[in-house]
Amino acid sequence: MIKVAPSMLAADYMHLDSEIDKVVASGADVLHYDVMDGTFVPGITFGQGILKMVAKKPIPMDVHLMIANPIKHVREFAEAGAKYITVHQEAANFELRDTLRAIREAGCLAGVSVKPFTSVDAIADVLNEVDLILIMTVEPGKGGQKLIPFTVDKVRQVREMCKKAGVNPVIEVDGGVNLETAHLVTEAGAQMLVAGSAFFKAQDPAEFVKALKAMPQAE
């Protein structure tokens, strides 16, 4: 079954506690936590302090580090309560392999992400060192964008790469996921869907999550 990861980026920051309770009550699988530093991406969002508070809630935390030099901050986010920590290939660069190992050594599941215009070939040599691959289906750094059509092919490419390599990391997508677009990426191979605006604006979040989990999956 498809897993659903509502994104805190689209939550009402004035009422974070009740917004997270809404995620928990909806039956979602994990809470997606976007960390932006104003350098790797234009915006600045949450830090470790908020994560420590959120980690008290009964839902695993999927931490997406959209920051420069992520290896410097891995242990802090692990200690703050992350289950998954995902870093960008473009940000980690030559330290990517070391960064992924640091995530695992810190006791978390390791993820790698690529932007829409980065070739999936850039992560081919670390497929056996990741638990999760996050394909950005919009440009990272801003919520509410529409899914970029060509990124669906990238999901398919990653699935085939993993099959050939004999590995089975979770394939996650982030950006423009809603009830109209979700089937495109799940049919291509996505197994975890990050949904921000579509989740928090849904009339019935539990029904929204249920509908996403029922999306057709790749054979």
Side-chain angles (χ1 to χ4, degrees), residues 5-21 23-24 30-36 45-57 59-64 66 143-144 174 193-197 199-200:
S7 173
M8 279 182 66
L9 188 63
D12 179 352
Y13 300 166
M14 291 292 290
H15 304 93
L16 276 182
D17 189 58
S18 61
E19 291 283 74
I20 296 166
D21 287 342
V23 173
V24 174
V30 296
L31 183 60
H32 191 78
Y33 182 93
D34 288 302
V35 181
M36 305 179 189
T45 55
F46 319 100
Q48 299 92 326
I50 292 179
L51 180 57
K52 285 181 181 178
M53 292 186 285
V54 176
K56 297 175 184 177
K57 299 290 185 177
I59 187 168
M61 194 68 60
D62 173 26
V63 177
H64 179 193
M66 290 182 270
D174 182 359
L193 305 178
V194 177
S197 301
F199 173 86
F200 285 103

Side-chain angles (χ1 to χ4, degrees), residues 115-131:
K115 294 181 180 181
F117 290 94
T118 298
S119 170
V120 296
D121 291 338
I123 59 172
D125 62 344
V126 295
L127 292 181
N128 63 341
E129 297 188 46
V130 297
D131 304 289

Side-chain angles (χ1 to χ4, degrees), residues 196-214:
S197 301
F199 173 86
F200 285 103
K201 291 180 180 179
Q203 260 191 328
D204 188 333
E207 283 301 314
F208 176 79
V209 168
K210 184 178 178 182
L212 287 190
K213 289 189 174 190

Side-chain angles (χ1 to χ4, degrees), residues 16 26 41 93 105 144-146 159 162 167 184 187 210:
L16 276 182
S26 74
V41 292
N93 204 354
E105 288 170 3
Q145 300 179 66
K146 292 183 178 180
R159 180 168 174 264
C162 291
V167 295
L184 298 174
E187 289 172 346
K210 184 178 178 182

Side-chain angles (χ1 to χ4, degrees), residues 19-160:
E19 291 283 74
I20 296 166
D21 287 342
K22 183 190 299 183
V23 173
V24 174
S26 74
D29 301 279
V30 296
L31 183 60
H32 191 78
Y33 182 93
D34 288 302
V35 181
M36 305 179 189
D37 63 357
T39 300
F40 180 65
V41 292
I44 299 175
T45 55
F46 319 100
Q48 299 92 326
I50 292 179
L51 180 57
K52 285 181 181 178
M53 292 186 285
V54 176
K56 297 175 184 177
K57 299 290 185 177
I59 187 168
M61 194 68 60
D62 173 26
V63 177
H64 179 193
L65 297 183
M66 290 182 270
I67 62 176
N69 300 313
I71 195 170
K72 295 181 178 180
H73 304 281
V74 163
R75 184 157 294 279
E76 295 170 27
F77 281 99
E79 292 173 351
K83 177 178 181 179
Y84 294 92
I85 296 180
T86 297
V87 299
H88 271 265
Q89 181 275 335
E90 303 92 345
N93 204 354
F94 297 111
E95 290 185 313
L96 179 57
R97 195 180 300 274
D98 291 338
T99 305
L100 295 171
R101 287 175 180 165
I103 293 170
R104 285 181 159 177
E105 288 170 3
C108 297
L109 297 174
V112 64
S113 182
V114 289
K115 294 181 180 181
F117 290 94
T118 298
S119 170
V120 296
D121 291 338
I123 59 172
D125 62 344
V126 295
L127 292 181
N128 63 341
E129 297 188 46
V130 297
D131 304 289
L132 179 147
I133 297 173
L134 172 56
I135 301 299
M136 291 301 300
T137 44
V138 298
E139 280 296 326
K142 183 180 178 182
Q145 300 179 66
K146 292 183 178 180
L147 183 145
I148 301 171
F150 74 78
T151 59
V152 176
D153 287 332
K154 294 183 69 176
V155 176
R156 194 171 290 110
Q157 290 167 19
V158 165
R159 180 168 174 264
E160 291 304 315

